Amino acid sequence: MSSDSTPPVIAISDAGHHVGETVRLRGWLYNLRKSGKIVFPIIRDGSGQMQCVAVKSNLPEAVFETLKGLTQESSFAVTGKIRAEPRAHGGYELDVEDVEVLQRVLEDQPYPITPKDHGVDFLMDHRHLWLRSRRQHAAIRVRHEVIKAIRDYLDGQGFTLVDTPIFTPSACEGTTTLFEVDYFDDEKVYLTQSGQLYNEANAMAFGKVYCFGPTFRAEKSKTRRHLTEFWMVEPEMAFADLEDVKRVAEQLIVYTVGRVLENRKEELKVLERDTSRLESVQSPFTRMSYDEAVKILQSKGSEIQWGGDFGNTDETLLTEGLDRPVIVDRFPSEIKAFYFQPDPHRPEVALGVDFIAPEGYGEIVGGGQRIHDLALLEKRLDEHKLPREAFDWYLDLRRFGTVPHAGFGMGVERFVAWMCGLEHVRETIAYPRMLYRTRP
Ligand code: 4AD
Ligand code: MG
């Protein structure tokens, strides 16, 4: 309890509930504008920013001079009365009565990020500080909303969260992109590429499950869509097929986009996102087979041949002029992982599906129906030259009450980049890990 003499500390985001009251804000100096006998410090506290107004004639000299001498990113607390100010950013201002400096940033060692244009490498080297900037702050808040919306959606649909291990003894998505780790006693393990194989076991125990965590790919791709460490949500359902995957993933996307639009308006404004491009993300999405997609791409001048995988440019071409993701299914089995169920009418294609986001954001969802037949799965493991022993537990799922089942993975960073309209996924995660970046 605060006594009458100590004003309550509030979050800037809560200012609307304290108009006319004297409160205390704690934060960092974002900017300072001086205009003769008035100074306007902008304080940010993580929840928002507020312009403070300090008038020389209303304040003790020391208070005014302290404010006037504040340097960028100095930490301080300020006391004053909240006033509604429609012209101000956020709608409120604080008339300063007192100030207390926690740490003043020194002039000879100033905050390295200034309003001037820094190169992205410099900013990435200072990522631990760059996160304080408005655009970075906004992107990370959109990410938070995306993650929360995904969880809310799946929890509301009866999915149980069952997290899967990060150290794994075998590959899920093929052996070429595994990070190897020295475990104890000369044992080798790998950082997980996907929780899917464990999800399949969990689906047989819980029906509908999801895992949500970091996944790792030792891909030497230096594109704006690839990280070596990224977060993926992976729902998996027993008694489900390819059509269920398309339906659930589409609903999940529409719901999550809606939540971002509803709860992150301010952030989208800071990011200068054209929100009309997100408002049009409604059901139904355009659906096509891989065969049709190849024909469309060829007609648009792509060199792709049947049997090839889509490149980044192909994905962008495919959604050209469209206002929502495209769903492409039935890829050639040859280019897909070992676990995909073949189409019973055309065994050369897999019951797999990709969702390609518009505006060049590329594949955001990949998934499909899994092989549930023991003999066929064993055959596939052999064809892919994968050691059966390592997958023995996985084969058990086909020995003990096997059922058709299906699921998918959605990459958080690509989704957030799309929501924010960001050029590169590196700004959608606090500390991106890429081919040439593991610091800070
Ligand atoms: O298509 P992927 O590789 O699918 C799987 O891993 C399946 N086992 C998932 C499942 O069915 N449970 O990856 C799924 C998604 C992609 O659509 C993309 O959004 C994201 O994960 N992704 C990446 N995001 C950032 N950087 C990378 N290197 C990514 N690789 C995949
Ligand atoms: Mg994929």
Side-chain angles (χ1 to χ4, degrees), residues 172-173 193-194 196 199 217 219 225-227 230 232 234-236 339 363-368 370 407-411 413-414:
C172 177
E173 294 300 308
Q193 298 164 312
S194 159
Q196 181 194 320
N199 267 345
R217 305 270 168 106
E219 276 167 311
R225 296 172 185 170
H226 287 88
L227 297 169
F230 65 97
M232 179 157 57
E234 297 182 81
E236 189 74 27
Y339 52 72
E363 182 203 322
I364 47 166
V365 163
R370 327 303 189 187
F408 62 93
M410 182 163 88
E413 290 77 15
R414 289 193 193 170

Side-chain angles (χ1 to χ4, degrees), residues 305-321:
Q305 297 297 321
W306 199 96
D309 213 347
F310 302 149
N312 286 353
T313 4
D314 291 322
E315 290 182 349
T316 305
L317 270 181
L318 211 51
T319 55
E320 212 176 41

Side-chain angles (χ1 to χ4, degrees), residues 273-379:
R273 181 66 167 119
D274 175 0
T275 49
S276 69
R277 303 300 299 266
L278 299 179
E279 273 147 18
S280 56
V281 181
Q282 300 293 342
S283 290
F285 294 174
T286 305
R287 295 171 181 223
M288 63 178 75
S289 65
Y290 169 87
D291 298 2
E292 291 170 88
V294 168
K295 283 196 194 113
I296 292 173
L297 288 171
Q298 287 171 341
S299 77
K300 291 184 174 211
S302 165
E303 312 243 287
I304 193 168
Q305 297 297 321
W306 199 96
D309 213 347
F310 302 149
N312 286 353
T313 4
D314 291 322
E315 290 182 349
T316 305
L317 270 181
L318 211 51
T319 55
E320 212 176 41
L322 296 176
D323 60 358
R324 55 194 89 183
V326 177
I327 307 179
V328 184
D329 72 0
R330 294 180 164 78
F331 288 79
S333 300
E334 281 276 312
I335 56 169
K336 287 288 172 188
F338 73 94
Y339 52 72
F340 279 100
Q341 174 77 12
D343 185 333
H345 308 292
R346 278 179 73 199
E348 73 280 13
V349 298
L351 294 180
V353 63
D354 278 2
F355 282 54
I356 320 281
E359 301 179 75
Y361 287 97
E363 182 203 322
I364 47 166
V365 163
Q369 193 172 329
R370 327 303 189 187
I371 294 176
H372 59 277
D373 179 73
L374 178 63
L376 179 56
L377 189 55
E378 284 173 335
K379 186 163 159 262

Side-chain angles (χ1 to χ4, degrees), residues 16 21 40 121 175 191 230 245 267 276 287 391-392 396 406 412:
E21 295 172 23
F40 301 95
D121 275 333
T175 50
L191 298 183
F230 65 97
V245 165
E267 286 78 6
S276 69
R287 295 171 181 223
F391 291 89
D392 205 42
D396 265 355
V412 168

